[in-house]
Amino acid sequence: MKLLSTKATCNSHGQDSSYFLGWEEYEKNPYDEVHNPKGIIQMGLAENQLCFDLLESWLEKNPDAAGFKRDGKSIFRELALFQDYHGMPAFKKAIVDFMAEIRGNKVTFDPNHIVLTAGSTSANETLMFCLAEQGDAFLLPTPYYPGFDRDLKWRTGVEIVPIQCNSSNNFQVTEAALQQAYEEAQKRNLKVKGVLVTNPSNPLGTTMSRGELNLLVDFIKEHGDMHLISDEIYSGTVFSSPGFVSVMEVLKERNELKVSSNEDDNNADRVWDRVHVVYSLSKDLGLPGFRVGAIYSENDDVVSAATKMSSFGLVSSQTQYLLSAMLGDKKFTKLYITENEKRLKRRQRMLVSGLQKAGIGCLESNAGLFCWVDMRHLLSSNTFEAEMDLWKKIVYQVGLNISPGSSCHCTEPGWFRVCFANMSEQTLNLAMKRLTAFVVECTGNGGSAKRNGGLKMKSLTKWVFRLSSRRDGREQEER
Amino acid sequence: MGIEIEQPCVELSNIATSETHGENSPYFAGWKAYDENPYHELTNPSGVIQMGLAENQVSFDLLEKYLEEHSEASTWGKGAPGFRENALFQDYHGLQSFRTAMASFMEQIRGGRAKFDPARVVLTAGATAANELLTFILANPGDALLVPTPYYPGFDRDLRWRTGVNIVPIHCDSSNNFQITLEALEAAYKEAEAMNFKVRGVLITNPSNPLGITIQRSVLEDLFDFVTRKNIHLVSDEIYSGSVFSATEFTSVAEILEARKYKEAERVHIVYSLSKDLGLPGFRVGTIYSYNDKVVTTARRMSSFTLISSQTQHLLASMLSNEEFTQNYIETNRVRLRKRYKMIIEGLRSAGIEYLEGNAGLFCWMNLSPLLEEPTREGELKLWDAVLHEVKLNISPGCSCRCDEPGWFRVCFANMSEQTLEIALKRIRKFMERIRTQKK
């Protein structure tokens, strides 16, 4: 024996994929400006490290928040005992206000409709448990965040059916692709319970257009038993036009929000009942360690079920209190949102121009902590094998850990996600220099890789086939 | 006005709509009554006193003192130099310093009679998450875990709800102080088989909730032999291990394994948490300690769904790695809980109420069966309702803990001040006097 469950022995956690090789290599040989300048630079980690100074300065000015005090008085006991899965009211209020602020107050959120969870990892899984049975499916546009394979499928038994998007239209979701995905699910005998999108997109770094959002709402209206989940974890990282449009805004425009729906109408569709937003402070605020996620839904049953389920992943009351104070400081949130936007924009520009110098283009982006980079011209052939080859070269020879598109289920080989907000400016510049040197070397000054007969790979064979199972790859952060 | 068309609400999953979360049980109804009319010494002295909440409020001063003297534990020091690293830290291995501190704390609680390897500590947001996680790992939907009754009401949700796993009770009764017997174990196993459930393991709580007693060493040995014979797992939820009134009276399953040189240890997993011993349920700190490498690896990966806030890990790493603090805390907490326990049993004795002789936990298991109108579940619930609405005490009825014998109640003693406890005991005495007078 020592038999374990099917869940424990299957590979749905996704951690043995060769994708984690890059992680391992980075950890064995991490770049450090002083101690290891030739090491691997981590560009596969979608962290936001640009605004810590703002957080630190706020903490210094407001010592009560982390010191378990309110107006100078200790509330330690109160916090230590607070385990109500309804969440701290002050924190919920602060979070919904923050969400509204991020959306330019074009929509507002009711604190009684928010469910707090230990990160959006937990939020997304919880929604699957609430909305789908084992064996049901959700449609997701590709490319998508690799973690979804684990978060949505592993313990829930739910399937993901991809909505194939491609570069011909900047990877936007089309009606045809949506329909095709739906039919694919039918063919596989899977009951589709809904669509899940990430907006702004990971890994694309783009906001979804109104057209796409309306298309999705139309789709779930047509299929009255389907839900639409919008993971808006990057909503606070939008730094340029066309700006962020939340699915809630679209519902409002269509007069399909709960408040405005009139049951006397023929349009008593209650589509608002089937739209749910996921949020987190891991990206916008750069606090992935604090495990703060949320589900927002106008569907009372979903809120009720999800609230009970949140028992399995509550947010530490210590953290709820700290952040309720921080996000409750409107002067701070205003400053933060503006400054964060500014700094992200600058960084993205740095990365884009650095890539340009290396003769590499990327998808035009206006959000996120990464760019969706086009290296198709560097592939020896238009295949995923060639993409893997290129990726390994970039990890081992160039010393950059970037994320290959195949790990995001992209249908076109040659795309890579490259992060820009998890390092200093100097490190980013160095990364670009290395990349330029590499491209120059392998394309013979401007030629394409294909013309030069592909990239030579000598000693890579050994670990080409090695999987990461030996050492427990720290599956820290893949978003 | 148009015709109102009843639009069917969109369906949620079976899990979402089932009652397996168990929240419609009387255990939770008492909470409501308390919430609506909570006792307060000054502002509501005739309100409901909460005695259904197993919280430990007797040692907060020790924690507060530590925080005052070590502010860097909560505020990352001047200028917050450690803040960014801490805020970014989401590694599911958990903070090394915290894991080490946790392992050390668990050793100290057991008086050094067992060793814990930090590499086997998996962190989860509370024992609620730890128990569910282990169930996902050890059992498939439709399988069963054997759990001795009476047991913590939350298990019905934690072990079964989203996992689809069944609980088959190991029936224990007052004839032998509710100890687990081999006969009961075998009977439970057969019962599961008869229902076509594959038994995956036995889950015990030691010290027991709601009984408030530690499991005898010989029983643990028998249990371990049983699970080895049947080739199944043993989960020992030792969440109350630091709440034993006397240092020498608790035997952890870890000690059994050490004595046997870890033979067959891969089937054993320990659950722990800081919610009871340290009185920090809000901070969501639980752990799985497994002797099975595959379980450790898998549990770690699964813990992604329920990580402990790095802010909290940082705080507790500091606190629990301070041996001066932990030694003093463990000892002082023990003494204070013992004092509270003595208070409550004296009060119950003077009220003429029988109770199970306990040696651990934050509650007393008392026997009100002589007061039942009928020796049934309904009789028990009637009495419970009377205690709730007439005596204004929220206590937990045994049926919510799946106890086979009606009339037993769990009453908590560590979640209130001594004065409040005195008042509660006074109310109980008056109630008992009233009943005796009525009977005459």
Side-chain angles (χ1 to χ4, degrees):
Chain A
M1 176 267 232
K2 281 83 176 230
L3 274 175
L4 300 188
S5 66
T6 312
K7 285 185 182 75
T9 48
C10 73
N11 275 325
S12 295
H13 51 73
Q15 262 191 251
D16 293 329
S17 90
S18 53
Y19 168 64
F20 291 94
L21 249 184
W23 282 87
E24 280 207 350
E25 291 310 309
Y26 165 75
E27 287 191 18
K28 279 192 223 145
N29 181 21
Y31 168 81
D32 182 277
E33 202 180 337
V34 175
H35 305 293
N36 190 18
K38 293 230 171 63
I40 298 179
I41 297 175
Q42 176 65 282
M43 302 192 89
L45 197 42
E47 282 175 352
N48 180 359
Q49 295 193 21
L50 304 187
C51 293
F52 277 129
D53 57 318
L54 301 180
L55 299 171
E56 283 155 1
S57 130
W58 188 90
L59 285 172
E60 202 160 346
K61 295 198 195 101
N62 300 273
D64 274 8
F68 301 100
K69 293 201 175 86
R70 183 187 289 135
D71 303 323
K73 271 187 68 191
S74 171
I75 53 164
F76 176 73
R77 288 174 196 227
E78 184 188 317
L79 292 178
L81 291 172
F82 186 84
Q83 57 170 329
D84 183 353
Y85 59 27
H86 291 98
M88 211 172 272
F91 182 44
K92 289 198 295 180
K93 180 80 177 56
I95 255 208
V96 302
D97 285 350
F98 190 61
M99 287 170 74
E101 202 177 339
I102 283 174
R103 289 153 184 73
N105 289 308
K106 294 191 216 114
V107 281
T108 54
F109 299 87
D110 177 354
N112 293 318
H113 283 264
I114 201 156
V115 180
L116 300 173
T117 62
S120 59
T121 298
S122 176
N124 283 315
E125 191 201 38
T126 297
L127 273 175
M128 289 299 107
F129 273 123
C130 287
L131 305 178
E133 308 297 342
Q134 195 153 4
D136 288 344
F138 260 80
L139 310 180
L140 265 68
T142 63
Y144 62 74
Y145 160 55
F148 280 150
D149 288 325
R150 171 200 61 191
D151 300 351
L152 308 182
K153 303 187 343 175
W154 189 15
R155 306 192 301 180
T156 62
V158 171
E159 286 296 332
I160 294 177
V161 175
I163 303 166
Q164 315 284 24
C165 302
N166 59 66
S167 57
S168 66
N169 70 339
N170 293 328
F171 296 92
Q172 292 198 61
V173 176
T174 63
E175 191 167 351
L178 194 46
Q179 198 46 41
Q180 190 164 41
Y182 180 68
E183 278 159 24
E184 169 71 25
Q186 305 291 92
K187 249 187 250 148
R188 289 167 58 182
N189 252 320
L190 300 168
K191 186 168 199 323
V192 179
K193 280 298 171 66
V195 181
L196 186 149
V197 299
T198 307
N199 177 29
S201 161
N202 173 14
L204 301 176
T206 53
T207 50
M208 288 188 87
S209 65
R210 257 192 183 80
E212 288 172 281
L213 291 168
N214 275 302
L215 172 67
L216 290 166
V217 177
D218 287 339
F219 182 74
I220 65 162
K221 278 191 75 141
E222 186 193 329
H223 301 274
D225 52 355
M226 283 199 204
H227 297 265
L228 176 59
I229 300 173
S230 180
D231 185 346
E232 303 187 351
I233 192 178
Y234 289 99
S235 46
T237 66
V238 181
F239 48 78
S240 64
S241 62
F244 175 58
V245 179
S246 164
V247 69
M248 298 303 279
E249 205 182 318
V250 164
L251 286 182
K252 191 174 181 187
E253 282 163 7
R254 294 166 66 124
N255 225 14
E256 281 176 309
L257 273 185
K258 191 176 193 174
V259 157
S260 51
S261 84
N262 183 348
E263 290 206 35
D264 291 341
D265 275 322
N266 281 333
N267 190 26
D269 188 343
R270 305 173 60 136
V271 74
W272 48 261
D273 229 8
R274 304 184 276 121
V275 175
H276 323 283
V277 173
V278 167
Y279 187 54
S280 159
L281 299 180
S282 299
K283 308 298 174 184
D284 296 346
L285 243 54
L287 306 172
F290 288 6
R291 311 318 300 148
V292 181
I295 295 168
Y296 186 84
S297 176
E298 296 285 357
N299 182 321
D300 288 336
D301 294 331
V302 171
V303 170
S304 171
T307 299
K308 296 185 172 84
M309 280 190 198
S310 69
S311 300
F312 300 111
L314 296 174
V315 179
S316 168
S317 57
Q318 175 192 20
T319 303
Q320 288 193 51
Y321 180 64
L322 170 66
L323 296 173
S324 69
M326 193 185 276
L327 295 184
D329 182 344
K330 303 296 192 230
K331 265 180 76 183
F332 171 75
T333 55
K334 189 156 183 237
L335 162 74
Y336 186 93
I337 290 173
T338 319
E339 198 52 34
N340 188 39
E341 197 179 304
K342 235 195 326 201
R343 296 181 188 186
L344 286 171
K345 186 178 196 170
R346 192 186 137 89
R347 271 309 175 93
Q348 185 253 22
R349 289 251 160 90
M350 270 183 73
L351 175 64
V352 171
S353 60
L355 290 170
Q356 254 166 23
K357 287 200 189 82
I360 297 174
C362 57
L363 186 69
E364 196 169 328
S365 68
N366 64 335
L369 309 172
F370 34 73
C371 281
W372 189 236
V373 177
D374 185 358
M375 297 204 204
R376 292 177 290 175
H377 60 296
L378 297 177
L379 295 181
S380 58
S381 62
N382 185 23
T383 62
F384 285 109
E385 288 71 34
E387 180 183 282
M388 268 298 119
D389 286 351
L390 176 58
W391 175 63
K392 274 157 189 159
K393 276 200 124 86
I394 294 179
V395 172
Y396 296 109
Q397 271 179 230
V398 187
L400 304 179
N401 181 33
I402 61 181
S403 312
S406 52
S407 68
C408 305
H409 301 276
C410 187
T411 49
E412 292 176 25
W415 292 88
F416 292 80
R417 189 193 76 169
V418 179
C419 298
F420 56 68
N422 63 305
M423 67 200 70
S424 68
E425 283 192 6
Q426 297 92 306
T427 308
L428 183 55
N429 279 326
L430 175 62
M432 292 301 96
K433 254 196 213 110
R434 288 187 186 178
L435 196 54
T436 308
F438 168 74
V439 172
V440 161
E441 181 197 309
C442 81
T443 60
N445 273 337
S448 89
K450 293 199 183 80
R451 249 192 279 138
N452 283 340
L455 308 174
K456 290 253 161 66
M457 302 231 301
K458 293 177 191 134
S459 54
L460 298 180
T461 334
K462 246 201 226 137
W463 18 256
V464 160
F465 300 107
R466 192 180 66 193
L467 294 181
S468 63
S469 44
R470 213 182 344 109
R471 187 182 146 217
D472 194 24
R474 187 192 55 158
E475 188 197 287
Q476 193 194 42
E477 206 285 319
E478 319 92 352
R479 275 186 184 257
Chain B
M1 198 165 159
I3 301 166
E4 278 200 19
I5 300 168
E6 251 284 336
Q7 292 294 333
C9 280
V10 63
E11 264 181 37
L12 301 190
S13 68
N14 290 333
I15 288 177
T17 46
S18 82
E19 297 269 296
T20 317
H21 51 72
E23 282 193 32
N24 298 327
S25 89
Y27 178 68
F28 294 95
W31 284 72
K32 263 192 78 194
Y34 166 76
D35 282 338
E36 282 158 15
N37 181 22
Y39 168 84
H40 187 275
E41 200 182 339
L42 300 169
T43 58
N44 191 18
S46 59
V48 175
I49 297 179
Q50 175 63 283
M51 303 192 87
L53 197 41
E55 280 175 353
N56 180 359
Q57 295 192 24
V58 308
S59 302
F60 274 131
D61 58 316
L62 302 178
L63 300 171
E64 283 164 331
K65 181 161 178 281
Y66 179 87
L67 288 177
E68 241 171 89
E69 292 168 3
H70 300 88
S71 59
E72 74 286 356
S74 41
T75 59
W76 302 281
K78 187 127 187 25
F83 173 73
R84 358 188 129 193
E85 196 182 322
N86 190 223
L88 287 172
F89 187 85
Q90 57 171 329
D91 182 349
Y92 61 34
H93 288 84
L95 223 49
Q96 174 71 52
S97 57
F98 180 47
R99 266 191 294 139
T100 305
M102 188 62 120
S104 158
F105 189 61
M106 287 171 74
E107 282 178 9
Q108 288 172 57
I109 281 176
R110 290 156 184 73
R113 295 184 300 273
K115 291 235 138 299
F116 289 93
D117 177 1
R120 293 192 171 283
V121 171
V122 178
L123 302 172
T124 62
T128 298
N131 282 315
E132 190 199 41
L133 215 139
L134 267 177
T135 307
F136 269 123
I137 291 176
L138 305 179
N140 289 316
D143 291 344
L145 290 176
L146 309 182
V147 184
T149 63
Y151 61 73
Y152 161 55
F155 280 157
D156 284 332
R157 172 198 62 191
D158 300 348
L159 308 181
R160 303 182 323 157
W161 190 19
R162 304 191 305 182
T163 60
V165 171
N166 301 291
I167 292 177
V168 173
I170 302 164
H171 299 283
C172 303
D173 60 67
S174 59
S175 64
N176 69 339
N177 291 328
F178 296 91
Q179 289 280 331
I180 303 163
T181 64
L182 268 173
E183 292 78 25
L185 274 170
E186 291 284 358
Y189 193 90
K190 283 201 182 68
E191 191 187 333
E193 281 188 318
M195 292 194 274
N196 258 319
F197 297 154
K198 188 162 202 269
V199 177
R200 291 295 202 160
V202 176
L203 189 146
I204 59 173
T205 307
N206 179 28
S208 160
N209 172 13
L211 300 175
I213 55 173
T214 56
I215 298 182
Q216 290 169 16
R217 192 186 182 102
S218 58
V219 175
L220 287 174
E221 303 267 12
D222 285 347
L223 257 167
F224 185 62
D225 290 335
F226 176 80
V227 299
T228 306
R229 253 194 333 271
K230 300 290 189 192
N231 197 13
I232 58 180
H233 295 275
L234 176 61
V235 177
S236 181
D237 185 348
E238 302 190 350
I239 193 178
Y240 291 99
S241 47
S243 305
V244 185
F245 310 148
S246 151
T248 51
E249 288 189 30
F250 171 59
T251 305
S252 164
V253 71
E255 297 174 53
I256 309 283
L257 294 177
E258 262 195 41
R260 297 186 187 209
K261 300 205 191 331
Y262 299 106
K263 188 160 186 288
E264 299 285 344
E266 323 83 73
R267 59 182 75 255
V268 179
H269 325 279
I270 296 176
V271 168
Y272 186 54
S273 158
L274 299 182
S275 299
K276 308 298 175 183
D277 295 345
L278 242 54
L280 305 172
F283 289 4
R284 313 316 302 147
V285 182
T287 165
I288 294 169
Y289 188 90
S290 176
Y291 297 89
N292 183 316
D293 292 348
K294 182 91 172 96
V295 171
V296 171
T297 307
T298 310
R300 208 158 258 152
R301 288 175 178 164
M302 252 191 215
S303 70
S304 299
F305 297 109
T306 183
L307 297 175
I308 301 178
S309 166
S310 54
Q311 177 193 16
T312 302
Q313 291 191 49
H314 169 79
L315 169 73
L316 295 170
S318 160
M319 200 184 266
L320 296 185
S321 56
N322 185 320
E323 266 197 46
E324 195 189 324
F325 168 77
T326 53
Q327 295 284 17
N328 178 49
Y329 183 93
I330 291 171
E331 191 43 47
T332 310
N333 185 49
R334 198 173 270 151
V335 167
R336 292 178 182 180
L337 287 176
R338 186 161 64 228
K339 182 171 180 221
R340 280 299 178 98
Y341 180 70
K342 289 221 163 87
M343 256 186 85
I344 198 175
I345 58 174
E346 260 166 46
L348 293 180
R349 242 187 247 137
S350 70
I353 294 176
E354 273 180 30
Y355 54 88
L356 184 68
E357 194 83 37
N359 65 344
L362 310 173
F363 32 72
C364 183
W365 186 238
M366 66 178 184
N367 184 10
L368 296 182
S369 58
L371 303 180
L372 296 182
E373 276 181 25
E374 37 171 277
T376 61
R377 184 173 181 270
E378 289 65 39
E380 179 182 285
L381 286 175
K382 221 171 153 203
L383 177 59
W384 170 72
D385 197 71
V387 172
L388 181 60
H389 291 108
E390 290 171 32
V391 195
K392 302 271 199 329
L393 299 178
N394 180 34
I395 60 181
S396 310
C399 59
S400 67
C401 305
R402 310 284 184 185
C403 185
D404 291 324
E405 293 176 31
W408 290 86
F409 290 80
R410 187 191 79 167
V411 55
C412 299
F413 56 70
N415 63 306
M416 65 199 72
S417 68
E418 284 192 9
Q419 295 91 313
T420 308
L421 184 54
E422 286 291 9
I423 293 182
L425 291 170
K426 227 182 257 159
R427 289 187 189 179
I428 291 177
R429 267 197 301 278
K430 280 220 185 83
F431 175 67
M432 293 299 289
E433 277 164 25
R434 210 164 51 234
I435 301 227
R436 263 183 237 113
T437 328
Q438 277 172 13
K439 281 204 168 139
K440 284 192 189 135

